[in-house]
């Protein structure tokens, strides 16, 4: 191979790595000569089908669960989010509730997913084949007195995300 070809190949690979590591820019708009950041998208509602990269995500329902009273007893109440994830890509992709889901309340307090064994609760985690849909429930232990939350699904490889307003 010629040195010129190797140099061009190295340049292309370097540019690809730099672009892959960069963050997505927030679009800006110009209003009366002033540059202003684009408005943040409003959160979606339960039941809406939302395209996030190669996923179509639907929050089907949100409910509470008091646990089984023996082994799975929440500090507050269990918030159960039932969601569907359709893979619209031509290759399989993985859903990971620990890596791709985030729940917070109106004060910004974040909550971690709970690993519990409750009747009828099945995490949506795992590989999803092209054109297929997986459905499952993710559980969070939240204070009893709170009724409003924000749930975010993020696809880290494409830097895409969507947020839903949840009310119980």
């Amino acid at each position: 191979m010629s040195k010129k070809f190797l140099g061009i190949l190295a340049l292309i690979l370097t540019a690809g790595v730099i672009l892959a590591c960069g963050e997505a820019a927030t679009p800006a708009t110009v209003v009366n000569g002033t540059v202003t950041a684009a408005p943040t998208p409003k959160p979606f509602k339960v039941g809406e089908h939302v395209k996030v990269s190669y996923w179509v995500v639907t929050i089907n329902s949100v409910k509470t669960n008091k646990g089984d009273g023996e082994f799975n007893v929440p500090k507050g109440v269990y918030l159960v989010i039932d969601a569907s994830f359709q893979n619209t890509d031509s290759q399989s992709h993985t859903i990971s509730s620990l890596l791709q889901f985030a729940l917070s309340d109106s004060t910004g307090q974040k909550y971690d997913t709970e690993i519990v064994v409750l009747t009828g609760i099945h995490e949506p985690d795992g590989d999803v084949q092209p054109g297929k849909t997986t459905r499952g429930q993710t559980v969070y232990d939240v204070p009893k007195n709170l009724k409003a939350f924000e749930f975010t699904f993020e696809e880290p490889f494409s830097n895409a995300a969507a947020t839903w307003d949840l009310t119980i």
Side-chain angles (χ1 to χ4, degrees):
M1 288 191 201
S2 72
K3 288 184 179 182
K4 184 176 181 180
F5 175 76
L6 289 175
I8 292 172
L9 182 62
L11 181 64
I12 291 171
L13 288 174
T14 302
V17 168
I18 290 170
L19 289 173
C21 292
E23 292 185 25
T26 302
T29 57
V30 177
V31 179
N32 297 329
T34 304
V35 177
T36 309
T40 304
K42 291 183 180 179
F44 296 98
K45 296 178 182 171
V46 172
E48 290 184 308
H49 306 288
V50 181
K51 180 92 165 129
V52 183
S53 186
Y54 38 76
W55 298 104
V56 173
V57 182
T58 306
I59 304 301
N60 302 305
S61 67
V62 180
K63 60 184 179 178
T64 59
N65 185 308
K66 295 178 183 177
D68 63 11
E70 190 173 336
F71 297 106
N72 298 295
V73 180
K75 294 174 188 164
V77 65
Y78 287 134
L79 177 70
V80 180
I81 301 171
D82 181 278
S84 298
F85 304 88
Q86 179 185 10
N87 178 1
T88 62
D89 202 12
S90 60
Q91 59 183 342
S92 68
H93 292 284
T94 302
I95 290 289
S96 170
S97 57
L98 292 174
L99 299 176
Q100 294 175 286
F101 302 175
L103 183 76
S104 61
D105 62 27
S106 62
T107 69
Q109 173 66 44
K110 295 184 184 302
Y111 299 91
D112 295 326
T113 57
E114 294 288 318
I115 309 299
V116 296
V117 178
L118 296 170
T119 303
I121 304 294
H122 307 282
E123 290 283 345
D125 297 13
D127 288 334
V128 183
Q129 297 302 312
K132 299 296 181 184
T133 301
T134 188
R135 182 173 180 167
Q137 301 76 36
T138 304
V139 179
Y140 297 87
D141 190 345
V142 299
K144 286 181 183 179
N145 63 325
L146 295 181
K147 303 296 179 201
F149 300 90
E150 275 194 350
F151 175 80
T152 301
F153 171 78
E154 180 181 5
E155 178 44 61
F157 298 110
S158 64
N159 205 21
T163 300
W164 287 259
D165 277 337
L166 307 179
T167 305
I168 52 173

